[in-house]
Amino acid sequence: MLQVKLYEPGRFESGEVPNPAMGEGEALVRIRRIGVCGTDLHAYRGRQPFFSYPRVLGHELAGEIVEIGPNDRGLSTGDRVAIEPYLACGSCRPCRAGRYNCCSSLQVMGVHRDGGMQEWLSVPVSLLHGSRTLSLEQLALIETLGIGYHAVERGEVQAGEWVVVVGAGPIGLAVIQFALLAGAQVIAVDVSPSRRDFCRQLGVEYTVDATVDPLVAVTEITGPELAHCVFDATGNLEAMGASLQYAGPGGRVVMVGLAIGSYTVDDPLFHRRELSLHATRNSAGAFPALIRLMEEGRLDTTPWVTHHLDLATLPDSFSDLFDPQAGVVKAMIRA
C-alpha cells in the first residue's frame, strides 16, 4: 500500500509498504479522506510539541470498513466511518473519570504513533463511528469539530454571553460554531481579512482586526465589562498571554491553541478580575454527539473545505498550504 511519511521537518517521502494486519478487536479500514490540521502544519515546520520523527501524520480520518468481525456497534463491511484517533489506557485516573482525552499515557494517531496518511489502517472497533448519511469529508471533519466542541464545554458557555475567539483558523472556527450553537454573542479576532470574512459567513456578527488595537474594538462591542469567556486558538505565545485582557471580572479563559514554550500572564489583572484559566485537549465522547448534530442539519460544514490534495502527490504539494495568498481554511487529502 502507499504510505506517506514525514521523515524530518520539511521532508515527506512516499513509498510502498505491506498492508497492516488486523489485530484482535480491530477492523481494517480503507482510508479515504484525511483532514490537514494545525498539528500537521506545525510538525512539517518542526514546531509541534510531543512529536518525534519519522512519523506518518494524519489524525482527522474517514474511511470505509473493509473487514470487521462481530461487534456491538452495529458496524459492518462497507460502512463509512470517522476514526477517533485517541488511544487511551482506560485505567488511569482521568480514564476512570471519563476524561480519556487527557489519559496519562495517551497515544494520538499521527502524533505519538503512525496515523492515516496511508491507504489502509487497522483500528480498534471501539474508535470507529459510522454514519449512513454523512459524506466522507463530513466524517473527516469530526475530529477537528470535536476540539471546538470540547473547548466550549470547558468554557461552560451560556446563551447570551459575550465570547471572544482569538484566532480564526480551523480550530478557532470550530470553537465559533459551538459557541454560536450555545447561543453566545461571538466576537472573532484575527489578523486575516479573508478569515474574518469567513467568520461572517458562519454567522459571526462581530469581527475584529487583531493588528489594530483589538482591546479597544472589543470594548466598544461588549462595553466595559468585556467578555464572559475568551478562547485563544492562535498557538502564538504572545497572543495567548494577551488573551486574558479580553475577559471581564469573573470571566473564563480557555487555551485551545498549543505552542512550544511559556507565555506571560499579567498577574495583577488575573487576580483583580478573578479569572479562571483552563486548558483543553482533544475531546472525549464527542464523536456520536457531533455525528447526530450533522445528521440533523444543525451543523453545516459546507464552507469548511477550501482545498484538496491527493495522497499520491502530497510530498510535492503540501508546502503550497503555507502560501498566505492561497486562502486555505481547511485542506482535505483524498486517499
Side-chain angles (χ1 to χ4, degrees):
M1 68 172 182
L2 177 67
Q3 181 187 79
V4 176
K5 182 175 287 189
L6 183 64
Y7 280 87
E8 62 185 9
R11 183 167 71 93
F12 278 116
E13 290 188 12
S14 59
E16 291 291 324
V17 299
N19 288 359
M22 192 175 80
E24 184 178 354
E26 294 185 335
L28 188 61
V29 179
R30 174 65 168 90
I31 301 298
R32 293 296 186 186
R33 295 292 186 278
I34 307 151
V36 178
C37 177
T39 298
D40 305 317
L41 299 173
H42 292 320
Y44 186 80
R45 285 178 156 174
R47 301 175 183 173
Q48 177 61 26
F50 320 125
F51 195 84
S52 61
Y53 303 85
R55 178 69 64 225
V56 178
L57 303 183
H59 63 276
E60 300 178 4
L61 306 172
E64 298 169 346
I65 296 175
V66 175
E67 186 177 352
I68 191 170
N71 64 89
D72 59 1
R73 300 176 68 82
L75 295 171
S76 58
T77 300
D79 285 352
R80 293 191 298 269
V81 291
I83 298 174
E84 190 169 3
Y86 313 131
L87 295 139
C89 73
S91 59
C92 68
R93 184 170 69 185
C95 282
R96 295 196 307 271
R99 298 180 65 180
Y100 61 86
N101 59 302
C102 50
C103 167
S104 59
S105 57
L106 185 70
Q107 297 279 296
V108 179
M109 298 177 195
V111 180
H112 307 99
R113 62 168 63 187
D114 284 348
M117 287 190 181
Q118 49 193 334
E119 291 181 300
W120 305 83
L121 202 60
S122 188
V123 183
V125 174
S126 60
L127 299 179
L128 300 179
H129 302 270
S131 172
R132 299 189 184 281
T133 59
L134 298 184
S135 70
L136 288 164
E137 292 204 346
Q138 286 176 305
L139 289 167
L141 288 170
I142 295 289
E143 197 276 341
T144 289
L145 292 167
I147 304 298
Y149 180 90
H150 180 62
V152 170
E153 284 186 322
R154 291 283 284 159
E156 299 180 343
V157 173
Q158 305 297 313
E161 289 189 327
W162 282 110
V163 165
V164 172
V165 179
V166 186
I171 296 301
L173 293 172
V175 172
I176 285 168
Q177 289 215 295
F178 292 105
L180 290 171
L181 276 177
Q185 302 176 89
V186 176
I187 303 168
V189 180
D190 199 274
V191 299
S192 166
S194 62
R195 289 199 169 178
R196 295 196 301 273
D197 288 343
F198 192 84
C199 290
R200 287 188 282 271
Q201 292 179 42
L202 294 181
V204 176
E205 185 175 354
Y206 305 99
T207 62
V208 169
D209 184 350
T211 66
V212 185
D213 207 340
L215 179 58
V216 171
V218 168
T219 305
E220 288 175 351
I221 297 168
T222 64
E225 293 187 345
L226 296 169
H228 298 84
C229 191
V230 178
F231 295 89
D232 187 280
T234 64
N236 177 283
L237 293 172
E238 183 178 353
M240 291 164 77
S243 288
L244 276 70
Q245 67 185 323
Y246 306 118
R252 293 100 60 197
V253 180
V254 182
M255 294 298 178
V256 193
L258 181 64
I260 297 174
S262 303
Y263 55 88
T264 301
V265 169
D266 182 339
D267 194 60
L269 180 147
F270 184 62
H271 279 84
R272 184 172 66 251
R273 296 186 185 175
E274 198 178 45
L275 301 178
S276 298
L277 180 61
H278 300 275
T280 181
R281 185 185 186 195
N282 305 322
S283 66
F287 275 54
L290 291 169
I291 287 173
R292 284 196 301 273
L293 285 170
M294 294 172 78
E295 288 178 337
E296 292 167 0
R298 297 175 59 197
L299 193 57
D300 181 16
T301 60
T302 305
W304 272 69
V305 180
T306 57
H307 291 69
H308 289 88
L309 306 171
D310 292 309
L311 187 65
T313 56
L314 189 69
D316 297 323
S317 59
F318 192 83
S319 61
D320 296 343
L321 301 179
F322 294 97
D323 180 1
Q325 301 304 314
V328 178
V329 174
K330 189 70 178 177
M332 191 70 64
I333 299 166
R334 294 173 289 219

